[in-house]
Amino acid sequence: MSKGNGCRLLLVGLLSASVLMLSCAPAAPAQPPRQTGPTIPQIPSSAKPEAGATSSKKPLVELTAVCCGGVTTIGVQTQVLSKLLKDHSDFLRVNTMGLVGYAKCTEYYLQNREKGYYLLPSSVSHLFEYATGTGTYKGSPPRKDLGLLWVYSAVDLLIVARTDSGVKTGSDLKGKKIGINQPGSIGYINATRYLKALGFKEGDFKPVYGSYEDLVTAMKEGTIQVWMNPHTAGRGQPYPYLEDLAGSMRLSFVSVVPAEVDKMNTQLGTRGYVIHTVPGGLYKGQTADVSWLSEPAFQVIPSGHSEDIGYELCRVWWDFQDEAMDLNVRCAQSEPDITKDALAKEQVVPFHPGALKYYRQRGWIK
């Protein structure tokens, strides 16, 4: 073997051995990935909020419900409404406060309307005087700043007399001492309008003004002969004050007649008053049916309150009506048919836009 061939063989052997050693050597440890920070998902351009956009959640709105006391029908229903809103509304709450009479409630609203949101009670006769600047609001400019939500009850004007007074009909009231609710109340408005429809003038009767309790006591003691007051108990349910009175003495139950009611509606300028027949036997000593003057009473909010507020109040009240009646049976006095009837007629003031939106969705109006 030549010297050159020997060198070449030695080189090949060394290279082969190197390859063999490398193939048997352990693999080098993997390098950790380079840290680049968290991955941030990109928002598609169509989903990016516009400049100045705000959250879709409505800010909380609190209404002051100025109602006629906690034991009245409107007081009870407003307390139930407050509970329903707390349970079923994301943005609306109601705080209740009690005052005596629709006029007092409206007066409080007028004095404080720049300070917040309000929910009020009213009736056809009260709304008429408020809107036209007559009666209780004589000298005030006509107003159209209230909107109706729903009819919360039908208010009757009860007329009962001591049997020793000789009063059996409306015309017999002349010269008698008559107990009437406080001035400004619905009882006062309806009683004075009824007496006017009878043709009575100042001095033809002797009014005695007072609270329910005062007038019941006065009837029992004989210091008044007749009691004329609003009756807002449920249809077919006895009214507690009258039930107490009828249970302690004999009474004459005085009916109104269609001609008297027609005259009142002529004076009012709208057909707001109707006759409600109370079946005999509801009260002790009431053996026959009796016809009492009746008118619808409304839940009302200022017309300047947003459509959302009016809609939400109606939605919660009507969508959860079964729950409302479970909380207090007097909520049943807000009967859908009475509100539907009111929607079908021209009212002294219109329904609130939010209420109309809700009733269209429910199919109560077109």
Side-chain angles (χ1 to χ4, degrees):
M1 181 184 296
S2 65
K3 187 177 180 180
N5 287 335
C7 290
R8 281 196 295 273
L9 289 172
L10 179 60
L11 180 58
V12 171
L14 290 172
L15 290 172
S16 299
S18 299
V19 170
L20 181 61
M21 290 174 65
L22 289 172
S23 65
C24 294
Q31 295 295 319
R34 187 163 55 96
Q35 297 298 316
T36 59
T39 301
I40 301 175
Q42 295 299 307
I43 301 174
S45 59
S46 60
K48 288 183 179 179
E50 296 179 0
T54 58
S55 169
S56 60
K57 186 177 180 180
K58 295 183 177 70
L60 186 67
V61 174
E62 295 191 52
L63 292 90
T64 298
V66 190
C67 56
C68 302
V71 297
T72 63
T73 297
I74 183 59
V76 168
Q77 290 192 13
T78 305
Q79 290 170 6
V80 171
L81 175 62
S82 178
K83 174 70 165 59
L84 294 179
L85 288 168
K86 184 177 179 181
D87 292 343
H88 301 294
S89 177
D90 292 334
F91 77 96
L92 205 55
R93 298 290 182 269
V94 163
N95 302 311
T96 62
M97 64 173 296
L99 295 172
V100 178
Y102 294 159
K104 290 291 185 183
C105 295
T106 306
E107 180 183 343
Y108 182 89
Y109 154 68
L110 290 172
Q111 292 173 349
N112 298 278
R113 57 184 165 180
E114 303 300 327
K115 301 177 183 177
Y117 299 88
Y118 291 89
L119 179 69
L120 307 165
S122 195
S123 67
V124 169
S125 57
H126 177 257
L127 281 172
F128 175 80
E129 293 188 349
Y130 179 83
T132 58
T134 57
T136 305
Y137 302 95
K138 187 176 181 179
S140 299
R143 301 184 182 97
K144 298 291 183 181
D145 62 334
L146 296 177
L148 310 180
L149 292 176
W150 62 80
V151 181
Y152 77 78
S153 70
V155 181
D156 298 335
L157 180 70
L158 62 87
I159 309 174
V160 293
R162 293 174 58 96
T163 54
D164 58 11
S165 68
V167 174
K168 295 182 179 179
T169 67
S171 59
D172 296 332
L173 296 173
K174 192 169 186 177
K176 298 299 188 290
K177 292 181 180 179
I178 303 174
I180 300 173
N181 234 180
Q182 298 284 6
S185 67
I186 187 63
Y188 171 86
I189 292 173
N190 288 341
T192 52
R193 185 170 279 130
Y194 175 70
L195 293 167
K196 182 179 179 181
L198 292 173
F200 293 170
K201 300 178 178 60
E202 187 176 351
D204 287 343
F205 60 94
K206 302 171 184 176
V208 176
Y209 304 113
S211 66
Y212 293 91
E213 295 86 352
D214 292 340
L215 297 177
V216 167
T217 299
M219 281 286 286
K220 291 178 180 179
E221 294 177 349
T223 53
I224 60 173
Q225 299 160 294
V226 180
W227 184 34
M228 299 176 67
N229 254 303
H231 181 296
T232 54
R235 301 302 173 94
Q237 298 176 10
Y239 188 50
Y241 290 107
L242 183 53
E243 192 174 32
D244 169 39
L245 189 60
S248 63
M249 63 185 300
R250 294 180 61 195
L251 294 172
S252 293
F253 294 82
V254 182
S255 289
V256 300
V257 298
E260 296 166 349
V261 177
D262 289 343
K263 193 167 184 179
M264 292 179 70
N265 282 324
T266 299
Q267 292 173 355
L268 183 62
T270 185
R271 188 153 190 83
Y273 291 110
V274 296
I275 289 177
H276 170 217
T277 301
V278 180
L282 186 62
Y283 297 101
K284 186 176 180 179
Q286 182 213 346
T287 57
D289 293 353
V290 59
S291 298
W292 278 334
L293 187 71
S294 185
E295 66 165 331
F298 293 92
Q299 279 280 19
V300 178
I301 59 173
S303 53
H305 287 2
S306 72
E307 183 179 274
D308 285 348
I309 291 176
Y311 180 94
E312 185 76 348
L313 286 165
C314 292
R315 181 191 72 82
V316 171
W317 181 248
W318 292 114
D319 286 6
F320 298 96
Q321 187 63 195
D322 288 344
E323 187 175 328
M325 287 188 285
D326 287 341
L327 290 168
N328 195 300
V329 69
R330 292 173 76 178
C331 292
Q333 293 178 53
S334 285
E335 300 175 30
D337 286 346
I338 301 178
T339 294
K340 290 177 184 178
D341 183 60
L343 285 162
K345 299 175 181 177
E346 183 178 357
Q347 299 296 335
V348 176
V349 300
F351 276 82
H352 189 272
L356 292 175
K357 178 181 178 180
Y358 174 81
Y359 294 132
R360 287 192 184 98
Q361 289 185 2
R362 283 290 297 260
W364 291 11
I365 53 173
K366 295 182 180 179

